Amino acid sequence: DCARSYGLSEKFVGEFLRSNNVSPTDVYVSSKWGYTYVADWNVELGEGEPHEVKDHSLENFLKQVQETSEHIGEYVKLYQVHSATFDSGILTNTKVHEALSKCREEKGWKIGLSVSGPSQDELIREAMQIKVSGEQRLFDSVQCTYNILEQRPHDALIEAHESGMDIIIKEGLANGRTLCNPTLKELSSTLNCQPDQLALAAILAQPFQPRVLSGSVTVDQLRSNLGSLYSIEDPDSMSVAERFVSTAEGKEVLQKLMESCKMESKEYWDNRSALKWN
């Protein structure tokens, strides 16, 4: 899950895959356009100075799609609008829509968008209505924040899934905030699993059948996250996600978890905005 604004992510991932002779058919790579990284590797910036600058114009798309092609193009399966909003104009800019459609036709990349903020559900529904030449729907997928704390997009994600869109979930652990939740800790003991596994499994068990981004930064974190899908020690055992949908105890735990942890969307995003950049 790369982006033009994630530092050198495209260059790093592209070089890693090529140097290890990884076939494009063996890996699913997505990237995003729309932001430019401007912090020059500084975590702390002056007051009001941004780490990245958003520009959803046609000119910026044409510039960034060329850069993505050069760094990692042969591996890309999905190219996404980075953090689409009503204010950025991307949802009404027909010239950009046509360019995105042409990109899909010429490069074979699926086209998606990522969304953030308390209006994610409204953005998803609006994006679902966009068609090019009055025929094909423009967006093949949506990447959305959804977790045990932020559940507002649930119904919109089901609608998107039922319409044929691929669902990708980001911030499944809410930047680590879910792991401090007392209910999550209590219920993870009930199912004899780690809190991160329970939080991610709760997303994987949703009816919109998502891909879920891990966000792990260490091998141990990745191994633990994968425990939501299967046991590394005992591959034949039922995963946490499977128990949520296949056993009475699992269904009861899932219902309690989602009902107990849910926050108001505005409060969730206000708290997120207060987090320090890292």
Side-chain angles (χ1 to χ4, degrees):
D1 181 55
C2 301
R4 289 301 307 136
S5 62
Y6 293 169
L8 299 175
S9 68
E10 290 181 338
K11 183 175 185 292
F12 172 79
V13 173
E15 290 177 351
F16 176 86
L17 294 174
R18 292 184 199 99
S19 65
N20 286 275
N21 298 313
V22 177
S23 169
T25 61
D26 293 336
V27 62
Y28 192 101
V29 174
S30 66
S31 195
K32 310 182 194 76
W33 72 275
Y35 273 104
T36 300
Y37 178 66
V38 295
D40 195 28
W41 305 108
N42 294 303
V43 176
E44 299 291 340
L45 300 178
E47 185 176 351
E49 293 182 358
H51 287 84
E52 52 189 11
V53 176
K54 180 185 288 189
D55 179 1
H56 284 160
S57 68
L58 176 61
E59 293 74 19
N60 195 44
F61 168 72
L62 295 175
K63 172 180 176 289
Q64 292 198 324
V65 72
Q66 181 60 36
E67 293 168 342
T68 297
S69 296
E70 293 170 0
H71 289 304
I72 201 171
E74 71 269 34
Y75 289 101
V76 172
K77 301 290 195 302
L78 169 67
Y79 206 46
Q80 303 165 96
V81 178
H82 199 166
S83 193
T85 64
F86 291 110
D87 292 340
S88 76
I90 185 65
L91 298 179
T92 56
N93 192 327
T94 55
K95 290 185 178 180
V96 175
H97 299 169
E98 291 168 359
L100 288 167
S101 180
K102 184 177 179 181
C103 174
R104 173 169 53 199
E105 181 180 343
E106 293 183 349
K107 296 183 179 295
W109 301 350
K110 291 187 179 298
I111 298 299
L113 76 163
S114 71
V115 293
S116 296
S119 299
Q120 290 185 114
D121 52 345
E122 298 171 29
L123 288 162
I124 292 168
R125 291 187 173 106
E126 185 70 22
M128 290 171 60
Q129 304 306 313
I130 299 174
K131 297 182 179 180
V132 179
S133 301
E135 299 178 3
Q136 185 177 13
R137 185 182 59 222
L138 178 61
F139 293 111
D140 303 300
S141 78
V142 61
Q143 183 177 135
C144 176
T145 294
Y146 181 90
N147 52 60
I148 61 171
L149 306 179
E150 165 60 319
Q151 300 177 36
R152 175 171 167 166
H154 180 272
D155 291 351
L157 289 171
I158 290 179
E159 294 166 24
H161 168 69
E162 291 177 346
S163 77
M165 292 179 73
D166 193 15
I167 308 299
I168 303 171
I169 298 302
K170 58 186 172 73
E171 299 184 21
L173 298 179
N175 311 102
R177 287 180 287 157
T178 60
L179 304 182
C180 303
N181 186 281
T183 302
L184 179 71
K185 292 179 179 180
E186 173 196 339
L187 294 178
S188 62
S189 297
T190 300
L191 287 187
N192 192 30
C193 65
Q194 296 301 312
D196 63 303
Q197 296 168 356
L198 190 69
L200 294 174
I203 305 169
L204 290 163
Q206 296 302 315
F208 45 80
Q209 299 180 14
R211 306 174 189 266
V212 180
L213 302 177
S214 162
S216 58
V217 295
T218 69
V219 172
D220 287 343
Q221 288 174 354
L222 179 59
R223 286 183 180 276
S224 185
N225 287 178
L226 287 171
S228 61
L229 277 173
Y230 61 87
S231 170
I232 295 176
E233 291 77 18
D234 183 10
D236 294 327
S237 65
M238 187 177 291
S239 72
V240 184
E242 289 173 329
R243 289 157 72 183
F244 273 158
V245 297
S246 302
T247 70
E249 180 191 32
K251 291 178 182 178
E252 182 178 341
V253 169
L254 178 60
Q255 181 178 358
K256 182 178 179 180
L257 180 67
M258 301 306 283
E259 290 178 352
S260 301
C261 298
K262 184 177 181 180
M263 295 177 63
E264 288 294 326
S265 192
K266 184 180 185 305
E267 180 186 3
Y268 175 90
W269 289 99
D270 285 347
N271 291 346
R272 185 188 183 281
S273 296
L275 297 175
K276 287 188 176 181
W277 189 282
N278 60 30

